[in-house]
Amino acid sequence: MIVALLLAFVANAHAQGLIWVKGTVTDALFGDFAAAYNAVQPGDKIYLPGGAFALPDIDRQVHIVGVGWDRRMTAATGPTFITNSPTLRPGAEYSSFEGLRFSGSLSLRAGHITVKRCYLPHLEVYENLAGNIFIQNVILSCGVRPTSGTQTVAYFYNNVMRDLNVWTDSRADLLNNVFLPPTGQALYIKNGVFRKNIVLRAGLPYGVYECINVVVEDNVFSTVSALSGSGTNCPQSGNLVDVPVTDLFENVPEGATTFSETYDFRLKPNSPARFGTPETPDDAGIYGGDYPWKDGLLPANPHVDFIQAPPSASGNHLNVRLRVSAQNE
């Protein structure tokens, strides 16, 4: 796998963004996404280099992996941008996305999708879907749609989020996320667990605008109250309220309503969001829990952090210098 990736990146230095399909049967390089997608079999992986790509609506099981989207971490390759707003349709169950920056929205009409280490201006999870998991993403707007049958279920772990609307009868479990101040009142949670999150709400007096059938425990709020009112069947325990943002993080400005790669969401040594003990820490926020935030959010595949290549070969030799760093999951 590593050898093929290196060859793809070397080729990419001298071609227009070659795309590698790692197949269950065979491997191949393609010059555009449409050709690569048409060639994949269920469960194949498509590795995208840095560059801009438009994805079709996805209707088969496929795993799409970019090189990452944080510009500080992708100086050698450039980030992987998705320029349109694709939809995952029936047939795409058990697909995954990793290391991509979307400029539009991502809509899910298929269940059991995993989205990891991506940047999403808007995410839409449509009705009657189960098993969708979102880990270590930036999600600025999200709707989990109401159901007309089987309950829509989504799991959010260690994301930086902003506006969230879980519609009535849907369910969302939200653990170790950070919620930036919203563009409106939006933080609607229903039918799930809301635990170890940090909620920043700027001038609003409450953290959650509407809460129905949710266990709310061990969260940290910058507001004077956790909920707007008592909620409906929302038992609360261990929550901290009215905590200044300046007491929480190493470097996140008060009132920031959007995400910046320069923000440091690590907790200060004496942050109130540090639960547990020094021997067994149990921190709130994105660096705690089962999926601690990975700085730079690089995908799990080996990362090219240095490329030096001449514009043409000399004597049938191409003297390319590469530095590749392994990535831990």
Side-chain angles (χ1 to χ4, degrees):
M1 173 180 172
I2 294 176
V3 172
L5 273 172
L6 291 178
L7 290 174
F9 278 117
V10 171
N12 185 45
H14 297 274
Q16 291 295 313
L18 291 177
I19 298 166
W20 182 45
V21 173
K22 173 64 176 174
T24 53
V25 177
T26 186
D27 301 342
L29 292 172
F30 295 89
D32 63 79
F33 187 87
Y37 181 68
N38 289 335
V40 298
Q41 299 299 312
D44 286 359
K45 291 184 177 181
I46 299 178
Y47 288 94
L48 297 179
F53 303 90
L55 304 187
D57 288 349
I58 305 297
D59 59 4
R60 66 190 73 175
Q61 183 193 5
V62 65
H63 306 287
I64 301 176
V65 184
V67 296
W69 56 266
D70 187 325
R71 285 160 288 206
R72 301 170 305 163
M73 308 297 291
T74 55
T77 60
T80 302
F81 289 99
I82 305 303
T83 59
N84 62 330
S85 298
T87 297
L88 274 72
R89 300 195 175 278
E93 288 79 10
Y94 299 97
S95 294
S96 66
F97 287 158
E98 185 174 1
L100 310 172
R101 185 180 186 117
F102 289 80
S103 61
S105 63
L106 176 65
S107 299
L108 303 189
R109 292 183 178 271
H112 302 285
I113 306 300
T114 299
V115 181
K116 187 174 184 180
R117 297 175 187 159
C118 291
Y119 181 99
L120 299 161
H122 183 69
L123 170 67
E124 199 75 21
V125 184
Y126 281 88
E127 63 181 6
N128 303 335
L129 300 177
N132 292 303
I133 300 175
F134 308 95
I135 301 173
Q136 297 179 30
N137 303 286
V138 175
I139 306 172
L140 298 182
S141 174
C142 178
V144 181
R145 287 289 178 179
T147 65
S148 60
T150 305
Q151 190 177 63
T152 303
V153 181
Y155 303 94
F156 296 85
Y157 303 111
N158 299 76
N159 303 281
V160 176
M161 304 181 71
R162 190 176 64 195
D163 299 337
L164 172 68
N165 190 342
V166 181
W167 294 82
T168 303
D169 297 330
S170 300
R171 175 190 173 105
D173 286 358
L174 297 125
L175 284 73
N176 288 97
N177 303 285
V178 170
F179 287 89
L180 298 171
T183 56
Q185 292 180 322
L187 189 47
Y188 301 78
I189 56 176
K190 282 108 177 173
N191 303 313
V193 176
F194 194 77
R195 180 183 295 130
K196 291 287 178 15
N197 301 287
I198 299 176
V199 182
L200 313 177
R201 304 297 279 176
L204 294 174
Y206 50 80
V208 178
Y209 182 68
E210 184 175 64
C211 180
I212 300 174
N213 301 329
V214 178
V215 175
V216 182
E217 61 184 14
D218 294 340
N219 303 286
V220 179
F221 297 88
S222 68
T223 53
V224 295
S225 65
L227 309 181
S228 174
S230 59
T232 302
N233 189 28
C234 288
Q236 302 179 56
S237 65
N239 299 298
L240 302 178
V241 298
D242 206 15
V243 178
V245 176
T246 52
D247 290 353
L248 290 169
F249 304 113
E250 290 289 350
N251 176 31
V252 178
E254 184 84 41
T257 59
T258 191
F259 176 84
S260 170
E261 292 97 327
T262 62
Y263 294 166
D264 188 348
F265 289 92
R266 290 183 185 84
L267 300 180
K268 289 183 174 180
N270 296 319
S271 173
R274 291 190 180 276
F275 294 86
T277 67
E279 292 75 23
T280 56
D282 192 14
D283 294 346
I286 58 175
Y287 285 92
D290 293 333
Y291 303 96
W293 186 265
K294 180 182 181 181
D295 293 332
L297 296 184
L298 291 174
N301 51 288
H303 179 68
V304 176
D305 54 27
F306 175 80
I307 299 176
Q308 185 179 69
S312 60
S314 175
N316 295 322
H317 294 284
L318 185 62
N319 296 314
V320 177
R321 296 176 60 197
L322 291 173
R323 183 173 66 229
V324 180
S325 23
Q327 299 297 310
N328 296 325
E329 181 61 29

